[in-house]
Amino acid sequence: IHETGSITKAAHLLHITQSALSQSISNLETELDIQLFKRQKSGTTLTEQGRQIFPIMMDLIDQETLLYDKIQSLNAEMEGSLSIATIPSLFMTIVPGVLSAFKKDNPNIEVHIVEAENDEIKQLVAAGEADIGLYSILSEDDLEVADTQYTPLFSSAFTAIVPKDSKLAYLKKLSLEDIKSFPFILYDRTFYKKNIQKFEAANGPINLLFSTDNVGVLFNSVAEGLGISILSDLMVQNTPFYQRNMITTVPIGAPFNQMIEFGVLHLQHSDKDKLIAEFNNYLAEAADRLM
């Protein structure tokens, strides 16, 4: 009521009737032996006494939330530890939200995360050093990991990213030949480096400005008009630089005209099957929201 200045609006937001809310306030005022609100034609506002106790009431509500969170933690059935190895593109996009929701519902599970490249992730899972591997699939070779189970999550395309005022932003599609003479910022990861090297071997060197594995530096450099780059669409769509129209995207041709699939890898038989399955459920929900 204090936030809206209206019993009618507050009742609507709370999905209860106006009379029920008015009765609740009346009962509370009787219990506290204090008038909380002044009801006027201009709206419903706190009395001077109401303003003085309002912060204390809010503290009580916060403490109640903490109480029930602690009770949920004490009653949580699942406990143990879970180690996760993830590629950077997933680490900077869906993993934080998934981990936050998972930890809130399963506070007794200790989670350890390491960032790694695709090949290292497969090795960590196969050796039992990581319970879950979050990585990308670009060929059938990526699926050939003995005694493991792979579950696909979602797919994403690659895209060229260019400054919003670049003349390239007005093209419907780009090829590496088109951007060969433009300053290029290379995302310093194996897949990107291999494809650029393959192109250079057949077509000569590109105009490489610099390479970096820091996507923040990459996006900021493109936004400042220093150069152009190529990334997975997943990474671009989730950056504020794109959301604030500081950069724009253009479809890119070969060898980046393919889809990249992201998925989950874990051992077929593990003593943490229940924990792995629980975390996979959260990943699946996050993937559904992206599609």
Side-chain angles (χ1 to χ4, degrees):
I1 296 170
H2 172 59
E3 290 173 354
T4 63
S6 165
I7 293 179
T8 302
K9 291 179 180 178
H12 177 74
L13 291 174
L14 295 170
H15 305 290
I16 60 176
T17 64
Q18 180 180 341
S19 60
L21 183 55
S22 294
Q23 186 61 52
S24 293
I25 290 298
S26 179
N27 292 341
L28 182 58
E29 289 176 329
T30 299
E31 181 181 347
L32 299 176
D33 193 23
I34 191 174
Q35 184 180 354
L36 297 172
F37 289 99
K38 294 182 294 185
R39 297 159 179 82
Q40 303 169 324
K41 290 184 178 180
S42 59
T44 302
T45 59
L46 287 170
T47 63
E48 179 58 34
Q49 292 175 318
R51 280 195 295 271
Q52 291 186 39
I53 69 170
F54 180 76
I56 302 173
M57 285 186 160
M58 295 304 295
D59 287 340
L60 289 173
I61 293 173
D62 290 340
Q63 290 300 316
E64 182 184 30
T65 300
L66 289 175
L67 171 64
Y68 284 110
D69 285 347
K70 183 62 178 179
I71 291 172
Q72 182 181 16
S73 172
L74 294 172
N75 291 334
E77 295 182 0
M78 302 188 72
E79 57 183 17
S81 63
L82 201 60
S83 58
I84 301 168
T86 177
I87 55 176
S89 55
L90 292 178
F91 205 176
M92 67 172 285
T93 52
I94 73 166
V95 169
V98 168
L99 184 58
S100 176
F102 180 79
K103 286 289 292 179
K104 183 178 181 180
D105 294 341
N106 302 277
N108 292 338
I109 299 177
E110 186 176 356
V111 180
H112 304 277
I113 299 183
V114 61
E115 184 179 349
E117 292 271 18
N118 260 12
D119 289 342
E120 184 181 1
I121 288 173
K122 291 187 289 185
Q123 294 171 6
L124 289 171
V125 173
E129 297 177 27
D131 301 312
I132 292 176
L134 306 177
Y135 75 129
S136 58
I137 304 298
L138 289 161
S139 70
E140 292 297 325
D141 293 338
D142 292 323
L143 294 172
E144 296 177 1
V145 184
D147 301 321
T148 63
Q149 180 176 333
Y150 168 76
T151 304
L153 287 174
F154 58 89
S155 297
S156 175
F158 292 97
T159 186
I161 55 174
V162 303
K164 66 175 183 178
D165 55 354
S166 169
K167 64 180 182 181
L168 296 178
Y170 299 94
L171 299 179
K172 292 183 177 180
K173 188 175 182 179
L174 286 171
S175 67
L176 287 183
E177 192 65 39
D178 293 329
I179 64 178
K180 185 178 176 182
S181 60
F182 288 84
F184 187 78
I185 302 168
L186 175 64
Y187 184 39
D188 194 10
R189 292 293 175 178
T190 302
F191 172 77
Y192 298 89
K193 289 191 292 187
K194 283 184 177 180
N195 278 289
I196 293 297
Q197 290 168 358
K198 188 182 299 183
F199 173 82
E200 288 183 318
N203 302 279
I206 63 171
N207 183 11
L208 181 64
L209 182 64
F210 64 87
S211 61
T212 178
D213 61 1
N214 186 320
V215 290
V217 170
L218 189 152
F219 281 126
N220 193 40
S221 298
V222 174
E224 291 293 339
L226 295 179
I228 62 179
S229 190
I230 297 173
L231 286 173
S232 71
D233 195 52
L234 170 70
M235 300 175 73
V236 178
Q237 297 290 337
N238 282 274
T239 178
F241 290 94
Y242 178 77
Q243 296 165 356
R244 297 172 186 168
N245 297 317
M246 300 170 70
I247 61 175
T248 190
T249 61
V250 183
I252 186 70
F256 293 97
N257 58 340
Q258 58 178 301
M259 298 295 289
I260 178 172
E261 182 178 278
F262 298 98
V264 188
L265 189 72
H266 59 84
L267 290 175
Q268 286 183 345
H269 304 289
S270 169
D271 57 357
K272 297 183 180 180
D273 282 344
K274 186 177 180 180
L275 296 183
I276 292 171
E278 180 72 2
F279 192 81
N280 282 353
N281 289 335
Y282 285 79
L283 286 169
E285 290 178 5
D288 288 341
R289 290 193 293 269
L290 289 173
M291 299 172 66

